[in-house]
Amino acid sequence: MALIDEPWAKIPEALIRDPEIKRSDLIVYWYLDFRCGKSGKWFGGQKQIAEAVGLAVRNVQRSISILLEKGYISVHRQGMKRSTHNLYYVLARTKDTQERHDAHVVSDTAS
């Protein structure tokens, strides 16, 4: 068996089995999970996601909307109205990762 010597990310089985989730949604989720790392959050933009995964920005926007609606991620706008970057949280994770995410959300809203 070959070992992978590069970073990787997981996709929850529930997300894979969800009939309303398309392949592009999985790719966007995977990228967000990868970028979020252990912290469960990442500050970035839709154009950056689109370029990294080879999708059109409109497809990334649609996937983010679906992932938000289904509760797999949350997005918090940062900065000014015209900001092109957001703070993304990956919610569909293991219990311990979810607890760390919840702690970040509480500290973000407390400030």
Side-chain angles (χ1 to χ4, degrees):
M1 179 168 98
L3 296 177
I4 299 172
D5 192 28
E6 297 178 26
W8 55 278
K10 299 179 200 176
I11 298 177
E13 186 176 354
L15 189 64
I16 294 169
R17 293 187 182 277
D18 189 325
E20 296 175 16
I21 297 294
K22 296 181 179 178
R23 184 178 298 155
S24 57
D25 305 337
L26 291 173
I27 291 169
V28 169
Y29 176 88
W30 165 83
Y31 185 76
L32 289 173
D33 186 61
F34 169 72
R35 296 300 302 193
C36 285
K38 291 182 181 179
S39 72
K41 64 182 178 179
W42 173 68
F43 182 72
Q46 294 173 352
K47 183 177 178 185
Q48 184 177 359
I49 297 167
E51 290 171 355
V53 300
L55 294 171
V57 173
R58 182 66 195 122
N59 289 23
V60 169
Q61 292 168 340
R62 189 196 63 76
S63 291
I64 287 171
S65 292
I66 293 203
L67 294 168
L68 274 167
E69 180 184 308
K70 304 285 275 170
Y72 292 115
I73 66 170
S74 67
V75 180
H76 301 277
R77 184 169 292 281
Q78 299 291 300
M80 299 181 295
K81 288 182 183 180
R82 297 180 188 244
S83 174
T84 59
H85 290 73
N86 296 306
L87 186 58
Y88 294 91
Y89 291 93
V90 173
L91 304 178
R93 293 182 148 203
T94 61
K95 183 179 177 186
D96 65 315
T97 308
Q98 183 63 42
E99 289 168 355
R100 284 197 305 267
H101 166 267
D102 292 344
H104 286 296
V105 171
V106 168
S107 65
D108 286 351
T109 57
S111 33

